[in-house]
């Protein structure tokens, strides 16, 4: 009986080894890639052009939409310009997703280059799997996996 309990304990621990999974880029639908890439390009181009109008032709979640209304977008663009200078998107680097729940948000990680801060190498954008709604995070940092970054940051705050 003890062997059975031990077997189930080991099996459950081995299956929980990672909370996040890397989704291969070839398994991501081309439309999803296009939506994410177009949005990031449009966002950064709006900052360059100082065009703080609303985004059109994108499905954006209510939570994210509240962060990119014209006043907030202007502040965000000013922060991007001050901290990073000119930001160029090089390519879609990877996509990560949480193991549970399976049908939730994927985080698209774009490789970027910046003028003022070469340490910042990634831009992260969330997207719901349902109808390609864009969602937070929209975040710059130097770690490729945003989900692991958040996990580490939370652990540091708790301890």
């Amino acid at each position: 009986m003890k062997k059975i309990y031990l077997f189930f304990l080991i099996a459950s621990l081995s299956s929980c080894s990672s909370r996040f999974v890397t989704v291969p880029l070839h398994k991501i639908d081309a439309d999803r890639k296009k939506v994410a890439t177009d949005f990031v390009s449009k966002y950064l181009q709006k900052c360059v052009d100082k065009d703080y109008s609303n985004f059109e032709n994108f499905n954006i979640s209510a939570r994210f939409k509240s962060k990119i209304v014209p006043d907030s977008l202007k502040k965000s663009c000013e922060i991007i310009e001050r901290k990073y200078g000119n930001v160029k998107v090089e390519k879609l680097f990877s996509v990560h997703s949480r193991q549970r729940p399976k049908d939730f948000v994927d985080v698209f990680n774009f490789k970027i280059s910046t003028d003022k801060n070469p340490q910042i190498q990634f831009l992260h954008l969330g997207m719901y799997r349902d109808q390609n709604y864009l969602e937070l995070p929209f975040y710059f940092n130097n770690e490729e996996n945003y989900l692991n970054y958040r996990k580490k940051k939370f652990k540091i705050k708790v301890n």
Side-chain angles (χ1 to χ4, degrees):
M1 192 68 167
K2 288 182 182 179
K3 289 181 182 180
I4 293 173
Y5 287 127
L6 183 61
F7 172 75
F8 284 117
L9 178 65
I10 290 172
S12 66
L13 290 176
S14 65
S15 67
C16 297
S17 62
S18 176
R19 292 182 181 174
F20 315 112
V21 63
T22 301
V23 181
L25 290 177
H26 69 274
K27 287 191 175 185
I28 300 293
D29 185 23
D31 290 338
R32 291 182 53 123
K33 290 181 197 176
K34 185 173 178 1
V35 167
T37 304
D38 289 350
F39 179 79
V40 167
S41 299
K42 178 104 175 177
Y43 190 103
L44 296 173
Q45 190 60 45
K46 280 182 172 266
C47 290
V48 169
D49 296 342
K50 299 193 183 323
D51 173 18
Y52 308 120
S53 60
N54 290 325
F55 287 87
E56 295 180 12
N57 303 324
F58 292 104
N59 293 332
I60 302 172
S61 71
R63 188 173 83 155
F64 190 26
K65 194 174 266 190
S66 69
K67 304 283 185 194
I68 56 174
V69 294
D71 290 342
S72 299
L73 182 60
K74 181 179 179 184
K75 288 179 186 176
S76 175
C77 287
E78 289 170 354
I79 290 169
I80 290 170
E81 174 62 33
R82 186 177 67 244
K83 283 180 149 180
Y84 311 117
N86 188 21
V87 178
K88 293 181 184 173
V89 177
E90 294 176 8
K91 66 177 183 171
L92 176 61
F93 192 76
S94 65
V95 178
H96 291 97
S97 185
R98 290 180 173 87
Q99 289 274 40
R100 300 278 189 270
K102 289 223 180 241
D103 192 23
F104 195 58
V105 174
D106 292 330
V107 178
F108 287 71
N109 306 298
F110 292 91
K111 182 88 170 145
I112 61 170
S113 60
T114 63
D115 290 341
K116 294 183 180 178
N117 194 344
Q119 294 173 340
I120 300 301
Q121 298 175 357
F122 293 97
L123 169 60
H124 310 284
L125 173 68
M127 184 186 299
Y128 283 104
R129 292 184 189 166
D130 184 30
Q131 299 178 6
N132 295 339
Y133 268 82
L134 299 166
E135 174 61 300
L136 295 173
F138 187 83
Y139 192 75
F140 295 84
N141 75 359
N142 61 348
E143 294 198 28
E144 185 253 337
N145 188 341
Y146 176 79
L147 299 172
N148 277 341
Y149 164 76
R150 289 294 298 171
K151 181 180 168 187
K152 286 185 230 174
K153 188 174 179 180
F154 180 72
K155 281 186 172 182
I156 289 171
K157 284 184 177 181
V158 172
N159 292 336

